[in-house]
Amino acid sequence: MMATTNDLKNGMVLNLDGQLWSVVWFQHHKPGKGGAVVRTKLKSVLSGKVVDRTFNADVKVDVANVDKRNMQYLYHDGTSYVFMDSATFDQYELSEATVGDATGFMLENQDAVVAMNDGNPLYIELPASVELTIEYTEPGLQGDRSSGGTKPAKLETGREIQVPLFITTGEKVKVDTRDGSYLGRVSS
């Protein structure tokens, strides 16, 4: 499918020089003299590398066909992560590179969106936040404020995040999946 650079949107996946690139950011720019251009930040779907690229306005670009499917994370078999398509019940094995940092926020039977291109999984999208249990954290001392009021805590997935001093082992917390930041306690 072809589109022009004036049609770009965040999240759109482009096929440039045989590689897939996701549009992270774009801006239309009209300099004082010369033609209009479109400045973009593109993220490589496979490697995660981010590059800046400028296109002339109205240039045709190849838009990749990306099919986003709702899937359920089943289990990790040691080498790959197994997901099941919620509609067809087909199972897909995704490599650790495809899953990326999301492993620190995934529990078995959790829902995720898997982006596919020609039957090949490209990347996964988790909800903006997830609720996880603190597996271990040191007891916080109320008077200890030298570290800005936070301490490290290990989640049930194995990922380590920073939490406020009042959080204890066994509590459920809400975590932002984009940057791994603590969002708050979950009341049961």
Side-chain angles (χ1 to χ4, degrees):
M1 188 170 90
M2 296 298 277
T4 68
T5 52
N6 292 337
D7 300 328
L8 293 182
K9 292 184 176 35
N10 289 344
M12 188 179 273
V13 178
L14 306 177
N15 188 350
L16 301 172
D17 305 324
Q19 291 187 7
L20 296 178
W21 297 87
S22 176
V23 177
V24 177
W25 172 87
F26 70 98
Q27 177 185 41
H28 294 275
H29 180 68
K30 175 76 172 104
K33 58 182 176 179
V37 295
V38 178
R39 294 182 178 150
T40 63
K41 271 194 190 312
L42 303 173
K43 181 178 181 181
S44 172
V45 171
L46 298 177
S47 70
K49 180 173 77 170
V50 177
V51 297
D52 292 326
R53 185 147 176 197
T54 303
F55 299 95
N56 289 329
D58 277 334
V59 169
K60 291 201 180 297
V61 289
D62 188 15
V63 178
N65 180 23
V66 176
D67 178 24
K68 293 186 176 183
R69 300 182 190 172
N70 290 324
M71 294 198 187
Q72 184 178 38
Y73 169 57
L74 298 178
Y75 60 91
H76 180 249
D77 67 4
T79 57
S80 59
Y81 294 85
V82 179
F83 285 80
M84 180 181 64
D85 191 318
S86 301
T88 65
F89 303 109
D90 292 337
Q91 291 188 9
Y92 295 90
E93 291 187 11
L94 278 65
S95 68
E96 290 189 23
T98 303
V99 176
D101 290 339
T103 59
F105 307 109
M106 290 189 328
L107 292 174
E108 291 181 358
N109 301 321
Q110 181 178 336
D111 291 330
V113 175
V114 178
M116 310 279 281
N117 175 261
D118 297 331
N120 298 321
L122 299 174
Y123 58 89
I124 69 167
E125 295 175 356
L126 292 178
S129 64
V130 291
E131 296 176 2
L132 297 169
T133 304
I134 300 292
E135 191 172 272
Y136 177 78
T137 187
E138 295 286 334
L141 300 174
Q142 192 56 34
D144 180 20
R145 291 279 188 253
S146 64
S147 63
T150 62
K151 61 184 179 178
K154 185 176 180 184
L155 298 172
E156 61 186 307
T157 60
R159 172 103 183 218
E160 195 170 281
I161 64 167
Q162 292 293 318
V163 296
L165 295 174
F166 56 82
I167 297 293
T168 59
T169 300
E171 279 192 82
K172 229 180 172 114
V173 294
K174 195 174 212 177
V175 180
D176 189 322
T177 58
R178 295 166 294 203
D179 59 7
S181 60
Y182 165 85
L183 295 175
R185 261 198 271 209
V186 177
S187 51
S188 37

